[in-house]
Amino acid sequence: MNTFKLALAASAALLVPMAAHAAKTDLVMGMALEPPHLDPTAGAAAAIDEVVYANVFEGLTRIGSGGEVIPGLAESWTVSDDGKTYTFKLRSGAKFHDGSDLDAGDVKFSLDRARAEDSTNAQKPLFAAIDSVEVVDPTTVKVMLKNPQGSFLYNMGWGDAVIVAPESADANKESPVGTGPFKFDNWAKGSSITIVKNPDYWGEPVMLDKAEFRIIPDAAAAIPALLSGDVHAFANMPAGDALPQIQSDPRFTVVIGATEGETILSTNNKQPPFDNLKVRQAIAHTLDRQPIIDAASSGNGVPIGSHFSPANEAYVDLTGTYPHDIEKAKALMKEAGLEGGIKATLKLPPPAYARDGGQVIASQLKEIGIELEIIPVEWAQWLEQVFKGKDYDLTIVSHTEPNDIGIYARKDYYFQYDNPEFDKVIAELDVTSDQAARNDLFKKAQKILADDAVNGFLFELPKTGVWDAKLQGLWENSPIQANDLTKVKWTD
Amino acid sequence: MTAYILKRFGIGLLTLFFASVVVFSVLEIVPGDPARLMLGINATEDAIHALRQQMGLDDPLLVRYFSWILGFVTGDFGTSYTYSVPVIDLVAERAAVSLPLAILALFLSTAIAIPVGIFAAARRGKMADTAAMGIAQIGVAVPNFWFALLLVYIFAVWLRLVPAGGFPGWSAGIWPAMKSLIMPAVALAGLQAAVLARVTRGALIEVLGEDYIRTARAKGLPQRQVLWRHALRNAMIHVLTILGLQFAFLLAGTIIIENVFYLPGLGRLLFQAITQRDLIVVESVVVLLVATVIVVNMLVDVAYGIIDPRLRVR
């Protein structure tokens, strides 16, 4: 009997995974899309920043977990009275991963490269206000602007504005060399990307020795990967219907956070009959956001009434501008002379929020006689036909760039919205740096877009963070697309 | 035999040429600009233009086709638009996963299916035959991604014997790499084995009804010898045909299984390249796969000739 018990105990001991006494220092993070390359200054793919931002590369400033601007490679800065000259003081002791020192020349190189004629920077407008960059001494750099720009320090915190070295810039796509607390280690294409702790980091050292980003494109595969312990965390998990099961499991922490993704029913404002304000208002009165959110993102997501993130301090709730009211909507359609109903197309890109949300929107708009033909498209097609060709009536897409209300002032943008009053507000914003004044202008801009019912404003895309309950320091919200691992640690 | 092989080879080359033209033109017609896709929706027109020039996308159609084909013949497959590494490296990396996986799955399915097929044919109409074919029927009907998920839940989530997916690379050692290929191979082999077992049984039963089998029996050969020496050899023609087709499928048609196990294989590479409009990768991978299929078919043809000398003269 005793031997039997002993054998039982022994086998039980074997079954229990080796209890880790020292806190773990490695992390495996799952991500759905593989970055095409690892140079954040040469591509728009969010997956690039999700690996390298704040971990491998740093800019003059940085965006913190709450969306605030914090010092990065510039430890401090001063702004001239006319708001046109920024003088940055760089960190002393900051080094690139290849051992060379960071100096003002690297900053000048990086900014000049991003705004050059042949630049392939995906966010070139960020640098449009820069007139010239001047090296004062090795740790001081002066940036002269053409006009005061309120968002300049914020712009310099984007992943597209990170500082690179002239010697390594061209090879960053394959082997990124930055100044961050992690160094690039290995990229097994199609499988995983590994970064390791940088022992020579200028600032506070990170608590992880190694972090692996494992690419798991299939939502169905993400769940077993988490349950089996192969993957410790998903910054944004495609959990779908399995989310309640994970939420009830004490081994995991689930945090539904906010992103900067305004999910909207984009409307072609120059395409009849959508060029008619009454028709757009009718659509706004018809859209019932909660059922759309239920279908498009499992009920998570904050309703929005304009193109602005609820997480931002300048946000105003405009969801009540055109309350859900079918009778009113029908009346507006009648006023537009379209009580007989219309036919239009709804082009849907691949993400679930578009494909699933689109079904609900089509059935809602049917109630006021708008018959939508749903056309599923791939991203490449969407960019070509909808975005570039403006060949569409309606589409659903999430605009994930932070603070991007300014796109409504762009003349060639695919909404084809044109309102001089709005353009004036944005032009004023561009040259205003006082935060309170900026917030007022942001509020004004939101109001104009809501009143004009430019697009069907639906909801803010949620971020479904799922990670091991023993992990700390991962971002709850994503004010920018990043997986900042600098504060992540395991607890016992 | 030499003339026979040469003729097959010539036909193969011609097929390959047509395939390259078709692939290239189809990708020209499909909408989507790789430069725009890479730079996203906030990019300015001049940034996109600069990238297009870097990628050489603004060259005329024929120039691009011929530079691609010339490179292909000389072994230079070009550079991936999105990954900006040589296509040959990408393909080699992915083939190091897909090829062993395909061979493992093919080996497993053959090892299971042929004995089962012979067994069932020999006991045609009996209980054992009905049971074996019943299981095979289920094997054909069950979707392999579902079977794969079932395997993951049992062996990875529950028993934690194997990883739920991923591939550590051959540099991590033979055993860890093999360990992550076992489940995908089983998931793939399930369906293949079911099909193969049914084909083996069917072919064997057909052959067993031939006159020369009756003659063999009549001259007093034991059942065993009739089956193994006379019937099986002739039935193998059909089995080989299916095997050839299956290998081609296993090499490229495994996108779903590669997704379930998030393996970095050729199928995934192709899928990814198509969605990202990484045209040069799509073109090269497709033509390489066509070449592989042609080679496998040639080998099958040659094997026909070995098994059945009558076919050599045709």
Side-chain angles (χ1 to χ4, degrees):
Chain A
M1 196 63 193
N2 265 341
T3 16
F4 176 66
K5 262 187 189 160
L6 200 69
L8 248 184
S11 55
L14 279 176
L15 283 175
V16 173
M18 302 275 260
H21 289 296
K24 283 210 289 199
T25 57
D26 65 320
L27 173 72
V28 180
M29 260 191 107
M31 60 194 292
L33 290 175
E34 179 171 33
H37 57 76
L38 295 174
D39 183 355
T41 68
I48 302 174
D49 285 318
E50 282 166 7
V51 174
V52 299
Y53 186 80
N55 299 328
V56 176
F57 286 109
E58 298 170 303
L60 289 172
T61 61
R62 236 180 85 182
I63 312 299
S65 58
E68 72 282 9
V69 177
I70 52 180
L73 284 174
E75 58 178 26
S76 62
W77 51 82
T78 54
V79 189
S80 66
D81 290 339
D82 64 357
K84 281 163 68 171
T85 307
Y86 283 73
T87 311
F88 294 95
K89 180 84 187 132
L90 303 180
R91 307 264 178 195
S92 50
K95 275 185 194 323
F96 283 99
H97 299 147
D98 61 3
S100 63
D101 289 325
L102 167 100
D103 62 28
D106 298 316
V107 176
K108 179 173 167 56
F109 167 78
S110 302
L111 297 183
D112 285 348
R113 173 174 174 261
R115 61 200 190 90
E117 188 88 31
D118 61 348
S119 154
T120 53
N121 196 298
Q123 310 288 350
K124 220 172 152 185
L126 290 180
F127 311 93
I130 299 178
D131 188 39
S132 64
V133 185
E134 188 187 305
V135 175
V136 179
D137 64 54
T139 60
T140 313
V141 65
K142 232 186 217 174
V143 181
M144 266 74 71
L145 304 184
K146 293 171 189 151
N147 48 265
Q149 189 185 37
S151 57
F152 182 67
L153 289 172
Y154 187 89
N155 290 355
M156 291 301 105
W158 281 56
D160 306 79
V162 296
I163 304 305
V164 296
E167 310 86 60
S168 48
D170 288 339
N172 279 343
K173 283 186 174 173
E174 283 306 299
S175 53
V177 173
T179 54
F182 287 97
K183 288 194 292 190
F184 169 75
D185 180 51
N186 177 47
W187 182 3
K189 296 265 156 53
S191 180
S192 70
I193 299 165
T194 311
I195 56 177
V196 293
K197 185 177 185 167
N198 169 15
D200 303 320
Y201 186 54
W202 57 265
E204 195 185 324
V206 287
M207 285 156 281
L208 294 173
D209 285 333
K210 190 176 138 190
E212 181 187 334
F213 295 92
R214 197 169 292 176
I215 294 122
I216 304 179
D218 191 55
I223 295 147
L226 183 80
L227 294 179
S228 67
D230 285 3
V231 171
H232 305 133
F234 283 90
N236 199 359
M237 185 168 183
D241 299 338
L243 193 62
Q245 185 205 336
I246 300 168
Q247 266 167 329
S248 65
D249 192 326
R251 287 179 295 165
F252 306 110
T253 303
V254 177
V255 180
I256 309 286
T259 67
E260 288 289 320
E262 288 82 26
T263 312
I264 57 177
L265 176 69
S266 298
T267 308
N268 193 340
N269 279 248
K270 287 231 165 81
Q271 175 77 33
F274 303 103
D275 56 343
N276 186 338
L277 176 64
K278 289 199 164 59
V279 175
R280 297 201 304 271
Q281 284 171 332
I283 292 175
H285 274 302
T286 311
L287 293 175
D288 187 4
R289 294 188 179 90
Q290 200 52 49
I292 298 171
I293 296 171
D294 289 345
S297 77
S298 313
N300 295 312
V302 183
I304 51 170
S306 185
H307 196 101
F308 216 70
S309 165
N312 195 301
E313 58 173 353
Y315 173 76
V316 263
D317 184 356
L318 294 165
T319 49
T321 311
Y322 298 107
H324 178 57
D325 184 344
I326 298 291
E327 289 318 308
K328 191 92 178 272
K330 282 183 177 159
L332 281 162
M333 287 296 277
K334 198 167 177 185
E335 278 175 48
L338 296 168
E339 65 271 37
I342 51 168
K343 281 194 165 64
T345 60
L346 174 61
K347 290 192 173 168
L348 299 177
Y353 65 72
R355 296 271 165 96
D356 298 344
Q359 304 283 348
V360 178
I361 287 176
S363 74
Q364 288 183 355
L365 292 185
K366 207 171 179 173
E367 288 183 57
I368 60 162
I370 300 180
E371 200 78 46
L372 290 182
E373 184 199 347
I374 290 179
I375 305 174
V377 291
E378 278 181 85
W379 271 126
Q381 275 175 301
W382 188 89
L383 282 170
E384 198 70 20
Q385 299 175 359
V386 177
F387 191 76
K388 187 184 173 207
K390 293 149 190 122
D391 172 21
Y392 78 108
D393 298 325
L394 299 169
T395 184
I396 299 175
V397 77
S398 200
H399 281 258
T400 52
E401 283 78 9
N403 272 328
D404 57 352
I405 197 167
I407 53 180
Y408 287 78
R410 288 205 204 163
K411 286 288 121 340
D412 56 345
Y413 215 65
Y414 77 110
F415 314 138
Q416 308 217 72
Y417 175 60
D418 189 358
N419 181 350
E421 194 199 341
F422 181 82
D423 298 351
K424 236 167 63 194
V425 177
I426 295 298
E428 213 177 321
L429 251 172
D430 269 346
V431 296
T432 310
S433 39
D434 175 59
Q435 199 53 49
R438 285 179 66 79
N439 286 353
D440 282 344
L441 288 167
F442 274 132
K443 286 176 185 161
K444 225 175 184 176
Q446 292 172 57
K447 185 87 176 47
I448 298 173
L449 295 186
D451 287 343
D452 274 347
V454 183
N455 293 314
F457 300 107
L458 306 174
F459 64 95
E460 200 71 11
L461 205 64
K463 162 175 154 5
T464 312
V466 177
W467 49 80
D468 193 301
K470 293 205 242 6
L471 267 175
Q472 277 183 354
L474 283 155
W475 282 14
E476 296 191 353
N477 300 317
S478 75
I480 51 160
Q481 287 154 338
N483 290 317
D484 182 340
L485 302 180
T486 54
K487 296 277 184 287
V488 175
K489 65 172 179 190
W490 288 93
T491 57
D492 285 317
Chain B
M1 188 80 181
T2 323
Y4 170 74
I5 292 175
L6 274 179
K7 198 175 141 200
R8 307 295 319 173
F9 189 72
I11 294 174
L13 273 184
L14 213 61
T15 316
L16 204 56
F17 170 71
F18 280 119
S20 80
V21 173
V22 169
V23 172
F24 193 85
S25 359
V26 165
L27 287 176
E28 281 305 316
I29 297 164
V30 172
D33 175 357
R36 189 172 293 277
L37 206 58
M38 271 186 87
L39 294 184
I41 59 177
N42 265 13
T44 54
E45 284 303 317
D46 54 331
I48 290 169
H49 182 71
L51 188 61
R52 279 186 68 86
Q53 281 204 316
Q54 263 184 30
M55 289 172 162
L57 280 169
D58 285 340
D59 295 341
L61 189 75
L62 279 180
V63 172
R64 277 184 294 131
Y65 177 75
F66 281 107
S67 73
W68 170 59
I69 276 294
L70 275 180
F72 209 90
V73 174
T74 55
D76 171 17
F77 293 9
T79 306
S80 158
Y81 294 154
T82 40
Y83 282 132
S84 46
V85 290
V87 175
I88 188 80
D89 294 355
L90 274 180
V91 171
E93 250 171 56
R94 301 305 176 97
V97 180
S98 287
L99 210 57
L101 177 62
I103 292 170
L104 194 62
L106 200 67
F107 175 78
L108 269 177
S109 70
T110 316
I112 298 167
I114 292 188
V116 169
I118 295 171
F119 175 79
R123 285 170 185 65
R124 185 184 179 186
K126 299 205 176 112
M127 265 295 280
D129 175 31
T130 318
M133 285 307 109
I135 293 169
Q137 186 64 54
I138 294 172
V140 173
V142 167
N144 60 5
F145 66 87
W146 183 84
F147 183 48
L149 279 174
L150 196 72
L151 288 174
V152 169
Y153 274 98
I154 295 174
F155 293 101
V157 176
W158 244 24
L159 300 173
R160 300 208 172 188
L161 291 174
V162 287
F167 186 71
W170 291 104
S171 56
I174 301 276
W175 177 233
M178 283 300 283
K179 223 166 117 178
S180 57
L181 289 185
I182 290 173
M183 275 202 308
V186 171
L188 280 172
L191 171 68
Q192 310 289 333
V195 172
L196 205 58
R198 290 170 61 88
V199 170
T200 309
R201 174 182 175 272
L204 210 52
I205 284 172
E206 197 189 311
V207 172
L208 284 173
E210 298 275 343
D211 289 346
Y212 64 87
I213 296 290
R214 205 179 46 210
T215 314
R217 284 210 178 107
K219 75 178 179 186
L221 277 183
Q223 166 75 2
R224 228 187 155 68
Q225 286 229 16
V226 173
L227 192 66
W228 290 93
R229 272 184 52 194
H230 293 269
L232 196 58
R233 188 164 175 155
N234 285 293
M236 276 323 269
I237 295 273
H238 298 274
V239 176
L240 260 178
T241 311
I242 299 294
L243 265 180
L245 290 174
Q246 284 190 342
F247 187 73
F249 169 80
L250 283 172
L251 205 55
T254 56
I255 296 178
I256 293 171
I257 288 296
E258 285 178 5
N259 258 325
V260 173
F261 293 98
Y262 45 103
L263 291 173
L266 279 174
R268 268 257 316 276
L269 177 67
L270 193 58
F271 181 72
Q272 227 175 345
I274 290 171
T275 53
Q276 291 173 336
R277 292 292 184 273
D278 195 344
L279 306 180
I280 192 116
V281 171
V282 180
E283 288 156 2
S284 303
V285 172
V286 170
V287 170
L288 272 180
L289 287 172
V290 171
T292 315
V293 171
I294 289 170
V295 169
V296 168
N297 278 342
M298 265 171 59
L299 289 179
V300 169
D301 282 346
V302 172
Y304 284 166
I306 294 169
I307 293 173
D308 189 345
R310 284 171 307 173
L311 289 173
R312 285 175 213 168
V313 287
R314 272 189 216 165

